[in-house]
Amino acid sequence: MEKIRKEFPVLRKGIYANTAVYGLLYDSLLDWRQEHDLDFLIDGSDMRERSLKVISETRSAIGKFFNCKRDNVALVTNFSSGLNILLEGLDANKRVLLVNDDYPSLNWSFENRGFDVSYVSMAVDLEERINEAVVGGHIDVLALSLVQWMDGFAIDLEFLKKLKKENPDLIIIVDGTQFCGSANFDFKNSGIDVLGASAYKWLLAGYGNGFMLFSDQVKNCFSINNIGFNAADGDYDKKNNIRFAKKFEPGHLSSLTFGSLKYSIDFFERIGMDKITAHNHKLSKKAKTEFEKMGLLSERIVQRKEHSTIFNIKADKATFQKLKDNDVFCAQRGEGVRLSFHFYNTEAEIDAIVNILKNG
């Protein structure tokens, strides 16, 4: 990974443990973006066909990368926008299960529409609590983040698959923003019905791009009225024959921003998602071991077998400032400091953070 690290200029300034806030821009993506805009500068409207080709290729790349049918991929500017469009088409009488303190854009989108909402609390046995609530509460929709934004708590993906198998009518909607790009993921075989994600974090694609993935069967559970000329591919005759995913794309899409997502997916595939997954797993194990030794993790994280690469350590404002003074990029979240690691991080950097926390 050392050669890949040279792509990221920010890494020369310190330890970047803040991907959960913003994924890094890298040299080759910047080169592509500059070339794209230079073509637009020189060619004007002659750029249009190339732009449409970029959008089409991005849709195909996302489908292939996450194992989702191309026609079931919607391109959206961010997760929040995509989810709000989706929920406008959901029967208001549906009973919804959420996780307490999940990402606000996820929970608020349901709460603000007056659905019959119940909650499970975050705990080490979250999956068991969800299962009991689904069975006992006759839940229609389960919505949650695959990785919790506050402390990196990761839902067991095999659990979701089993839950869907045992409850085939349950609609499972997930936010993959803090997950997608950090590890391998097979949407088709996940049991998940809808996955939405913004791509500016772990996919390193910059702001303004994201996606929604849909299972075949879930499309019959929503009545989407969103429409626009772009949804019909600029064809008057297609007004009444717009496929489900395209209804999330009523207007023009930016070939710069979505082309950046396509470029990043290609970049990840050149590195190898198996390699990225293995490296991030190693970082997760290392960080958890070291922070646990220091008593910096909550019990619900300590007792979990698997964890993401996001950690919220027990730390006050002075500790946060100490990390910043030692050139560690991190964020205050809740009552602690959140540190998040990606494939451009190293185990040596985790050791360096531990030394800072111990010695200053």
Side-chain angles (χ1 to χ4, degrees), residues 65-191:
F65 192 70
F66 293 108
N67 193 23
C68 175
K69 287 184 180 178
R70 182 186 186 279
D71 285 352
N72 289 352
V73 175
L75 303 180
V76 295
T77 53
N78 52 65
F79 166 76
S80 301
S81 296
L83 180 63
N84 275 276
I85 293 171
L86 180 73
L87 296 189
E88 284 300 301
L90 181 63
D91 183 348
N93 294 315
K94 294 292 187 185
R95 287 158 297 190
V96 179
L97 182 65
L98 303 175
V99 176
N100 268 323
D101 300 321
D102 207 329
Y103 192 63
S105 290
L106 176 63
N107 283 5
W108 290 356
S109 296
F110 287 92
E111 294 165 350
N112 203 47
R113 288 176 169 81
F115 288 105
D116 180 3
V117 175
S118 56
Y119 301 85
V120 289
S121 297
M122 285 295 303
V124 65
D125 60 344
L126 178 64
E127 289 85 358
E128 184 179 331
R129 294 179 181 218
I130 289 173
N131 188 65
E132 290 175 356
V134 167
V135 175
H138 305 290
I139 299 297
D140 300 305
V141 178
L142 168 66
L144 77 170
S145 298
L146 293 183
V147 171
Q148 290 294 318
W149 70 296
M150 190 67 75
D151 63 2
F153 187 106
I155 193 77
D156 183 348
L157 293 175
E158 286 301 313
F159 162 75
L160 291 181
K161 187 175 181 179
K162 183 172 181 285
L163 185 69
K164 179 66 176 182
K165 186 175 182 180
E166 294 175 351
N167 302 273
D169 294 331
L170 177 69
I171 300 171
I172 300 178
I173 301 173
V174 302
D175 178 1
T177 300
Q178 293 288 14
F179 170 77
C180 293
S182 67
N184 278 319
F185 180 69
D186 182 341
F187 176 76
K188 182 179 178 181
N189 296 301
S190 68

Side-chain angles (χ1 to χ4, degrees), residues 9-80:
V10 172
L11 301 184
R12 298 170 204 143
K13 296 174 63 177
I15 299 173
Y16 195 80
N18 220 15
T19 301
V21 168
Y22 191 82
L24 290 178
L25 182 62
Y26 50 102
D27 285 335
S28 56
L29 175 56
L30 179 63
D31 291 343
W32 181 88
R33 289 168 67 97
Q34 290 176 327
E35 185 176 338
H36 173 282
D37 278 356
L38 182 59
D39 287 344
F40 191 16
L41 178 71
I42 294 170
D43 295 334
S45 61
D46 287 345
M47 178 81 172
R48 183 173 183 274
E49 291 304 317
R50 274 175 284 166
S51 294
L52 293 175
K53 185 172 183 286
V54 167
I55 297 298
S56 177
E57 290 175 345
T58 301
R59 194 186 316 282
S60 298
I62 293 169
K64 179 174 175 287
F65 192 70
F66 293 108
N67 193 23
C68 175
K69 287 184 180 178
R70 182 186 186 279
D71 285 352
N72 289 352
V73 175
L75 303 180
V76 295
T77 53
N78 52 65
F79 166 76
S80 301

Side-chain angles (χ1 to χ4, degrees), residues 339-356:
L339 298 159
S340 47
F341 306 101
H342 206 359
F343 65 83
Y344 38 61
N345 291 115
T346 66
E347 291 182 278
E349 288 180 327
I350 294 172
D351 286 331
I353 289 172
V354 170
N355 286 331
I356 293 167

Side-chain angles (χ1 to χ4, degrees), residues 265-288:
I265 286 174
D266 291 344
F267 179 63
F268 278 52
E269 289 190 324
R270 286 195 296 274
I271 298 170
M273 274 310 298
D274 287 344
K275 185 183 291 186
I276 289 172
T277 300
H279 184 77
N280 284 347
H281 182 73
K282 189 163 40 172
L283 292 176
S284 175
K285 289 291 187 185
K286 170 76 172 178
K288 186 180 179 187

